[in-house]
Amino acid sequence: MSELPRVDEFLRAIPTDAAPIGHITAVAGAGSRVMLERAAVAAAALSSDPVAAAAGQVGSQIKLRVGGQWLIANIRSLASGDDAIMAEIDFLGEGDGEPATGLLQRFRRGVTRYPMPGCVAYPVTTADLAQIYAADDRATIGIGTVHPTADVRAALYVDAMLGKHFALVGSTGTGKSTATALILHRICALAPQGHIVMIDPHGEYGAAFAGTGAVFDVSNLQMPYWLMNFEEHCEVFLTTSGSARQIDADILAKCLLAAKAKSRLGQEITRLTVDAPVPYLLSDLTNLIGLEMGKMDRAGDTGPYLRLRTKIDEIRADPRYGFMFSGMLVADTMAEFLRRVFRMPGEGKPISIVDVSGVPSDITAVVVAVLSRMTFDYAIWARGEAQRPILLVCEEAHRYIPAGRETDSAVGRILGRIAKEGRKYGVSLGLVTQRPSDLAEGVLSQCGTIIAMRLNNDRDQAFVRAAMPEGARGFLDTIPALRNREAIVCGEGVAVPIRVAFDALEEGKRPASDDPVFSALWRDVGGEDAIITRTIRRWRSQGK
C-alpha cells in the first residue's frame, strides 16, 4: 500500500511532451509485441529531438511505464497491421522514474517486472539515452557517440570487455582497422602501464603506435628458435605427411631432446622434456641426426634422417629466417624477450606491435603460434606471482583459427585454448576479422563483447547473429545498413546493445590501411624507372 502514492505521483509526473505512440498487445519472456499508432509515430517524427524522432523505426527504443519504473525495449521488426504498425520488441533493462519529473534514472540491465497487455509505450528521448548509456563507476573508455545523437557518449567497460574476450568484425573498407586502433589507443591512455601484444599481419599499425608502443618486425624481433615447443618444431622442420611424418617426428623428438640435454642449462634440469624452452645449438641437432643415421644398418632407410638434416640446413642458410634461426640467438635471452614483447615494465608504452608482414609465409603461422603460446604459458607459470594480465590482439584472425581446421595447426589450437581458458589465467583475446564465418565454430561465441561493423555477406551476418545475445536481435538487422565507422556493440562491455558512431582519430594515430585512390594516383606520373629499380633491389634482397 505504501508504494501506491509514489506510483501515482510518478505517473502524474510524466513529461507532457512524452506523447504515447502505442501499447502492448502481447507479452513473452524475452520480448513482446507492440501496436504502434501510425499518426502518433508520424507526429513523433517531427520532434526536434533526433532520438524521439526515430521512434518506431527498427533498432530504436521505446519505454513502458510499469509501476514506478520505466522498462526499456528495442524494436526488432515491424509489420503492417489493419490500422496500425505491429512491432516485435526485445526488453533491454529498466530504470527508476524520478518522482518529481518522471525522468529515467539509474538504468540497469535485466527486467524484474514485466508489463501487462495494454501498457502504454512512449518514445525514448535523448535525455533517456544519456541515462541508459551513462557509465557507472567502473573503468571505461569512450569510443564515440550513440546513434542517432550527436552528444550522448558511448563507452566500453574495459574490465568486462577484456575479462571475457572481444571480437571486432566488419567487411573491408568499413573502418575496421581504424576502429581497432581507436580502441587500443583509448586502452593505452587508460592504462599506460598495461601489457598488450598485437599481431599485425600487414604492417598497418606500426606508425599509428610509434609514440605509445614498441614496434617489432623481422629486423628487431630476435625471437629465438629454441622457444618453439616440439609441435612447432615439427611444423617448421617436417616436410612429409601420413605415416612418414610420424617416423620423422620420432627421430626429431629423440635428437631434439638430446641436443637440449647437451646445453649447460639443459644439464641443470633434472626432468628435461622436449617442450622445455631451453637453448640448444642447431649444429648439435644436425650432428645428432647424423649420428643416429650412422647407427642404421646398411639395409636401413636413411631417408627420414636426410630429409630432416637437409630441411634444417636450408633454414639455417636462408637469410629470410635470420630473425629466428640466426646463430646469434643461441644465448639464454628468454627473460629479455619476454620483457620486450610483454612490455614489463612498459615505461609508458604498453603495446607491442608485432609486424609479421616480412616473415616468410610458410612460417608465419608458427611465429604467431609461438607468440600466442608464450603469452598463455607465461600466464600459467606465473601463477602465484603478482598478476600481470596480458591482452593479445590478433588481426585477420580467420587466417589462424580457420573454420573446420583449427585443430590442424599449432596456432589454431593455442588460440582456441586461449579463447576457452585464457580468462582464468589473466589472458584476454581480441579477435579482428573481416570474415567471421571463416572463424572456427565456437571461438566467436567465446567472446563476451562483439563489435560488429557493416557486413556485406549474408553468411557472415548469420554467423555474427548466432553469436550475439537475443536482446541484440533488433540491432543486428541494421548491420547491413551501417555506415562506415559505425558499429553495433553488445555483450559484457556495454550496459545494453548500442549503435555507435566511432570518434575520428588524429592523422598520426591511424593505421596505414586506407584504400588507394585510383583516379588520383593514376594521374601521378614520372620516376617509374627509379621506382622499379628500387623495388627490384628490395625484392631481391628480401628487405624493406
Side-chain angles (χ1 to χ4, degrees):
M1 293 294 292
S2 61
E3 184 184 4
L4 290 177
R6 185 176 67 83
V7 174
D8 290 342
E9 185 180 3
F10 164 62
L11 296 180
R12 288 196 300 271
I14 293 175
T16 56
D17 61 344
I21 58 172
H23 64 272
I24 293 284
T25 60
V27 180
S32 299
R33 186 178 296 117
V34 175
M35 185 174 75
L36 300 175
E37 299 174 10
R38 294 180 187 274
V41 172
L46 300 176
S47 172
S48 59
D49 184 336
V51 178
Q57 297 180 14
V58 169
S60 66
Q61 290 83 40
I62 60 172
K63 58 185 180 182
L64 309 161
R65 55 189 193 187
V66 181
Q69 295 178 323
W70 283 115
L71 185 60
I72 305 299
N74 183 65
I75 295 180
R76 185 200 327 156
S77 62
L78 298 171
S80 180
D82 293 336
D83 296 312
I85 302 168
M86 305 306 297
E88 299 287 337
I89 63 173
D90 298 311
F91 296 127
L92 298 178
E94 62 189 13
D96 299 331
E98 204 280 318
T101 63
L103 296 177
L104 175 71
Q105 289 185 329
R106 294 180 292 276
F107 178 83
R108 56 216 172 255
R109 186 186 295 186
V111 178
T112 56
R113 185 174 174 183
Y114 286 92
M116 297 295 288
C119 181
V120 178
Y122 295 87
V124 162
T125 65
T126 296
D128 294 328
L129 279 192
Q131 286 294 318
I132 292 171
Y133 297 116
D136 55 27
D137 56 358
R138 290 182 285 174
T140 60
I141 54 169
I143 59 170
T145 55
V146 177
H147 177 84
T149 72
D151 53 2
V152 176
R153 295 294 294 165
L156 295 176
Y157 295 118
V158 174
D159 296 326
M161 181 178 78
L162 301 186
K164 294 185 179 177
H165 312 311
F166 71 93
L168 196 158
V169 302
S171 296
T172 300
T174 58
K176 184 173 76 293
S177 298
T178 305
T180 302
L182 171 69
I183 292 171
L184 293 178
H185 275 301
R186 298 287 160 85
I187 293 175
C188 289
L190 178 73
Q193 300 302 324
H195 312 285
I196 306 170
V197 179
M198 181 176 197
I199 309 296
D200 178 9
H202 302 302
E204 296 177 339
Y205 293 88
F209 289 92
T212 54
V215 181
F216 301 101
D217 56 22
V218 292
S219 68
N220 65 347
L221 182 58
Q222 295 180 314
M223 183 170 73
Y225 57 87
W226 47 264
L227 289 177
M228 296 188 294
N229 64 12
F230 177 63
E231 180 184 19
E232 291 149 3
H233 272 88
C234 288
E235 289 203 9
V236 175
F237 292 152
L238 302 191
T239 58
T240 53
S241 59
S243 58
R245 187 177 182 87
Q246 186 57 53
I247 293 171
D248 292 4
D250 291 341
I251 295 170
L252 178 60
K254 181 178 181 180
C255 296
L256 184 59
L257 183 60
K260 290 184 176 184
K262 282 188 68 175
S263 70
R264 179 188 58 79
L265 192 59
Q267 292 171 6
E268 296 173 359
I269 300 174
T270 54
R271 300 177 63 183
L272 183 65
T273 70
V274 74
D275 283 328
V278 172
Y280 70 91
L281 294 172
L282 283 172
S283 57
D284 283 344
L285 178 59
T286 54
N287 289 339
L288 286 163
I289 292 172
L291 288 174
E292 288 296 316
M293 183 171 61
K295 295 178 183 177
M296 298 290 293
D297 296 331
R298 289 191 176 183
D301 182 10
T302 58
Y305 300 91
L306 288 172
R307 279 196 300 267
L308 271 173
R309 195 165 67 175
T310 301
K311 181 64 176 178
I312 296 171
D313 288 340
E314 282 178 2
I315 289 176
R316 289 174 63 191
D318 193 330
R320 296 177 303 156
Y321 298 87
F323 73 96
M324 189 172 181
F325 292 93
S326 168
M328 304 297 291
L329 298 175
V330 296
D332 183 10
T333 55
M334 185 173 179
E336 174 59 25
F337 181 78
L338 294 179
R339 276 194 291 268
R340 287 192 304 131
V341 175
F342 293 160
R343 312 306 300 149
M344 294 185 182
E347 299 173 344
K349 294 186 175 184
I351 187 169
S352 287
I353 304 295
V354 183
D355 176 3
V356 295
S357 61
V359 174
S361 58
D362 56 336
I363 65 164
T364 300
V366 173
V367 171
V368 176
V370 172
L371 290 166
S372 304
R373 184 184 50 78
M374 295 294 286
T375 303
F376 189 62
D377 283 355
Y378 174 82
I380 290 177
W381 294 109
R383 296 192 86 178
E385 303 289 343
Q387 195 171 24
R388 299 288 186 269
I390 300 172
L391 168 60
L392 176 65
V393 182
C394 192
E395 255 274 18
E396 299 280 5
H398 58 276
R399 286 186 178 189
Y400 308 117
I401 331 173
R405 302 194 307 277
E406 67 273 17
T407 58
D408 291 347
S409 65
V411 66
R413 280 187 286 273
I414 186 58
L415 288 175
R417 189 178 178 196
I418 291 174
K420 293 178 182 126
E421 306 172 30
R423 64 185 184 86
K424 301 175 186 175
Y425 301 101
V427 178
S428 177
L429 184 62
L431 301 177
V432 183
T433 178
Q434 63 193 28
R435 292 303 305 270
S437 59
D438 288 346
L439 275 176
E441 187 177 357
V443 171
L444 194 61
S445 61
Q446 297 286 340
C447 296
T449 303
I450 296 179
I451 304 166
M453 306 185 79
R454 188 174 69 249
L455 290 165
N456 301 324
N457 186 286
D458 290 343
R459 189 161 162 260
D460 290 331
Q461 294 170 21
F463 199 81
V464 173
R465 184 175 287 108
M468 282 188 168
E470 286 191 359
R473 285 179 296 184
F475 289 88
L476 290 175
D477 293 334
T478 66
I479 285 180
L482 291 173
R483 295 174 293 184
N484 287 354
R485 294 180 47 241
E486 279 192 348
I488 303 299
V489 187
C490 68
E492 301 294 331
V494 286
V496 291
I498 178 176
R499 179 173 173 177
V500 57
F502 285 105
D503 290 338
L505 259 182
E506 299 94 324
E507 185 70 33
K509 293 184 177 180
R510 295 178 196 166
S513 58
D514 291 340
D515 295 330
V517 183
F518 287 84
S519 60
L521 294 175
W522 278 349
R523 288 197 297 267
D524 185 12
V525 296
E528 283 80 2
D529 289 343
I531 291 173
I532 290 174
T533 300
R534 290 192 297 267
T535 300
I536 291 174
R537 188 186 311 121
R538 290 192 297 268
W539 196 342
R540 286 174 173 162
S541 64
Q542 297 289 292
K544 296 181 179 181

